[in-house]
Amino acid sequence: MNPLLVPLIESIGHNFRVVLASGSPRRKELLDRLNLSYEVIPSNFAEDLDKSRFASAADYVISNAVIKAQEVYQRIRDQSNKPVLVIGADTVVVSSDGVILEKPASPEDAADTLKGLSGKSNMVYTGVCLIIGGTEAGNVTIEKAIESTEVTFDELDDDMLQAYVSTGEPTDKAGSYAYQSYACFFIKEIKGDFYNVVGFPCARFYQMLRDLHRRGVL
């Protein structure tokens, strides 16, 4: 199969220093499919915002994405001889009770989270923030988007629950599960963007790039 070679993407990779402000291997894997020339510089943001200050999970997740992108942009903006495009993203899972679920603190925490999701639907939100900075000070564009996907779990029996936690897969996953891997055996329905659940809404990201190009930013 031939690679996906989109003129717009090739142009962005040539004319901008593109940086993914995330160390997520899943986001990197998805971004690689676009054949965009970029580098990875993970954000140092501690992700310690007070959730109670936000009116919704969507507000919370986009705030995280913006801060991640801004932190990296501030570090590299004076180190580049061409315009910079920084990609920030954050994903959270929200239970049917409205609780924001991020990465589990321990295997026990993961098991408790999965028990709470069993037989119910949860929402996955990903915030994406693009910061485009020119070579001139103050010439900065910030573009934001939020994608949401509904995920419905089957009833999780104890054997599957313990076996899944024992794989270690829930450890670094928002909501303690990875639909693209073993969790496919107990997720019975998804409504929305599959890749949003993986951690990066590819179609929305490409739409953002296309819209910015049409506006003359990229």
Side-chain angles (χ1 to χ4, degrees), residues 140-182:
V140 178
T141 298
I142 299 178
E143 193 78 0
K144 298 178 284 186
I146 301 169
E147 191 71 33
S148 61
T149 305
E150 183 179 6
V151 178
T152 302
F153 274 39
D154 207 342
E155 293 287 348
L156 260 172
D157 59 72
D158 288 340
D159 286 346
M160 174 59 85
L161 176 64
Q162 294 306 320
Y164 184 57
V165 172
S166 295
T167 67
E169 183 172 277
T171 304
D172 64 341
K173 309 296 189 301
S176 301
Y177 69 88
Y179 183 28
Q180 72 274 21
S181 188
Y182 296 129

Side-chain angles (χ1 to χ4, degrees), residues 35-83:
N35 285 296
L36 174 65
S37 177
Y38 73 97
E39 59 190 287
V40 175
I41 302 179
S43 170
N44 292 327
F45 172 50
E47 299 186 46
D48 54 0
L49 297 179
D50 181 359
K51 298 180 183 67
S52 66
R53 293 175 45 219
F54 297 88
S56 67
D59 290 342
Y60 172 74
V61 78
I62 195 61
S63 294
N64 276 328
V66 170
I67 295 173
K68 287 180 179 181
Q70 286 178 330
E71 192 277 325
V72 172
Y73 177 73
Q74 294 292 334
R75 269 194 283 150
I76 69 169
R77 63 179 180 178
D78 297 327
Q79 304 170 6
S80 303
N81 55 12
K82 59 182 180 179

Side-chain angles (χ1 to χ4, degrees), residues 120-135:
K120 302 174 184 176
S121 293
N122 61 82
M123 294 298 298
V124 179
Y125 294 92
T126 299
V128 179
C129 175
L130 307 182
I131 298 181
I132 303 95
T135 54

